[in-house]
Amino acid sequence: MSTPTEQLAAEGVSIWLDDLSRDRIVTGNLAGLITSRNISGVTTNPTIFQGAIGSGAAAYAGQITELAKAGASVDEAIFAATTDDVRDACDILRPVFDATGGVDGRVSIEVSPDLAHDTEETISQAKALWERVDRPNALIKIPATKAGLPAITEVIGAGISVNVTLIFSLDRYAEVIDAYLAGLEKAQAAGIDLSTIESVASFFVSRVDTEVDKRLAAIGTDAAEALKSKAGVANARLAYELFEQKFADDAAKALLVAGANTQRPLWASTGVKDPSLPDTLYVTELVAAGTVNTMPEKTLEATFDHGVVEGDTVTANYGDAHAHFDALAAVGVDFADVTQVLEDEGVDKFIASWHDLQNTVKTALADALESAR
């Protein structure tokens, strides 16, 4: 019998691991997950690298020592260590990239969250990361802030593949798709082969339920209580409906005919935050062809162990998803405010993790210099 992760892959869902460390690379763990758990990509963020470098000191010690001796700044050391990890992971996933015609086998690396509201610096760092990693199967992560939207267009227009992150609302998602299509038009005008550009749009799921459920609890009625723990899945399902609509319009179809790829929806934040919920909820309820589900290892293992994959669980449920949001509005949940709060908090959390990473690397550089004396 096939495993649940094999069944997911057969349904057209790409399984990406939401984690990376040098230990995973050098021990063969990442390579093993490709074969044993059907992993076809990797996503990273500042929180992941802070944990990797903070807890994996031995794996990074040699490089940190060399960087310290060379007088590297904290940000230069982070840039070197993280791009090396992503490059090595890209090489491990290269056979997947080749076998899928460049669709999968992707590894994401994020621009500094400190730049989330700075368009020009985001563009500059995205190009620097792409050049430094120097692998066709890299993805540069750019947040879907207002300042991020023109950066997405410019970076896609330069022929760079992009993972757009921190998407919570349908309105912002529509703007992200438009930014992607505008970037493809720029790339086409520049004579770039559109087929070489890939993009995913990372729609966050569990954080939506956390914020909405907090508001429903405050309302406290039976009607509000009945709506708990459903908004995240409903929001993602409507995102897929929007994806289908946007890529069926004439402008998008013309680009697809010219060789462009769709910008696949990616389900992020798929580890459940509420322990009373099924631990595979944001996997089995979001099965649809042409999507990516990026999972922390705990969710990946739960899915492999007992996930029940029953085909497409998205496209037949658009009506229920719309009805759910009507019901949320009826009990007094302002979902536009929910998504704005989540975007602001998401940026703030990544900035905090980035600063933690800077502090970790600062200490490691100082310790390396001290040991070398």
Side-chain angles (χ1 to χ4, degrees):
M1 291 180 63
S2 60
T3 66
T5 55
E6 288 173 336
Q7 292 163 15
L8 268 181
E11 292 292 338
V13 178
S14 296
I15 303 169
W16 292 4
L17 178 68
D18 192 28
D19 192 54
L20 183 64
S21 68
R22 195 157 294 180
D23 282 334
R24 283 196 189 277
I25 292 167
V26 300
T27 62
N29 171 270
L30 178 58
L33 290 174
I34 295 170
T35 55
S36 69
R37 299 292 185 268
N38 304 94
I39 289 298
S40 60
V42 169
T43 50
T44 70
N45 59 44
T47 304
I48 286 169
F49 277 126
Q50 196 281 327
I53 295 175
S55 63
Y60 295 93
Q63 184 176 23
I64 293 293
T65 298
E66 290 303 313
L67 288 165
K69 289 179 179 178
S73 69
V74 170
D75 285 352
E76 287 169 344
I78 292 171
F79 188 83
T82 58
T83 54
D84 281 1
D85 281 357
V86 168
R87 185 185 307 108
D88 289 344
C90 281
D91 289 344
I92 292 169
L93 281 151
R94 184 58 187 259
V96 178
F97 174 83
D98 292 338
T100 60
V103 174
D104 281 317
R106 298 277 173 172
V107 186
S108 296
I109 185 168
E110 188 161 350
V111 297
S112 166
D114 280 334
L115 307 178
H117 304 297
D118 188 326
T119 300
E120 292 307 315
E121 286 299 316
T122 293
I123 293 167
S124 177
Q125 191 174 97
K127 290 180 177 179
L129 287 167
W130 180 259
E131 183 177 352
R132 178 61 180 260
V133 174
D134 192 27
R135 294 294 186 271
N137 50 330
L139 284 172
I140 308 303
K141 287 179 84 171
I142 297 175
T145 56
K146 278 293 186 182
L149 294 170
I152 292 160
T153 295
E154 186 66 27
V155 173
I156 291 289
I160 296 171
S161 295
V162 172
N163 176 345
V164 184
T165 189
L166 285 176
I167 308 172
F168 296 97
S169 75
L170 295 178
D171 288 345
R172 182 55 53 83
Y173 181 38
E175 292 177 316
V176 166
I177 296 173
D178 288 343
Y180 172 62
L181 295 174
L184 290 176
E185 289 170 352
K186 285 177 69 77
Q188 186 178 44
I192 296 171
D193 180 358
L194 298 185
S195 70
T196 65
I197 303 171
E198 276 287 339
S199 184
V200 293
S202 296
F203 217 85
F204 280 50
V205 186
S206 68
R207 294 189 195 183
V208 171
D209 276 338
T210 300
E211 181 65 23
V212 169
D213 288 1
K214 180 173 69 176
R215 299 184 186 212
L216 291 171
I219 294 167
T221 64
D222 289 345
E225 186 69 25
L227 298 174
K228 281 187 171 181
S229 306
K230 298 175 182 177
V233 166
N235 198 40
R237 285 171 172 168
L238 294 185
Y240 192 81
E241 181 185 42
L242 181 60
F243 159 75
E244 289 189 315
Q245 292 168 348
K246 294 284 281 185
F247 281 95
D249 69 22
D250 290 342
K253 285 197 290 188
L255 288 164
L256 298 179
V257 168
N261 301 296
T262 59
Q263 183 187 53
R264 289 183 295 166
L266 180 152
W267 313 132
S269 184
T270 57
V272 295
K273 305 292 193 289
D274 182 345
S276 70
L277 297 175
D279 53 6
T280 63
L281 175 69
Y282 303 123
V283 177
T284 58
E285 293 302 307
L286 292 174
V287 178
T291 59
V292 180
N293 196 308
T294 181
M295 308 178 198
E297 188 167 25
K298 183 177 179 181
T299 303
L300 172 65
E301 290 303 323
T303 300
F304 179 80
D305 179 66
H306 54 262
V308 179
V309 179
E310 297 180 322
D312 182 338
T313 52
V314 173
T315 59
N317 291 301
Y318 295 153
D320 287 345
H322 283 288
H324 182 75
F325 280 98
D326 290 342
L328 285 177
V331 300
V333 173
D334 182 349
F335 195 69
D337 184 66
V338 166
T339 56
Q340 188 59 57
V341 165
L342 289 171
E343 180 183 309
D344 293 343
E345 286 182 351
V347 172
D348 288 346
K349 286 177 181 177
F350 277 164
I351 288 174
S353 292
W354 181 257
H355 292 168
D356 287 343
L357 174 57
Q358 288 175 316
N359 290 331
T360 296
V361 172
K362 180 180 180 180
T363 300
L365 288 168
D367 289 348
L369 283 178
E370 185 64 29
S371 298
R373 286 175 182 161

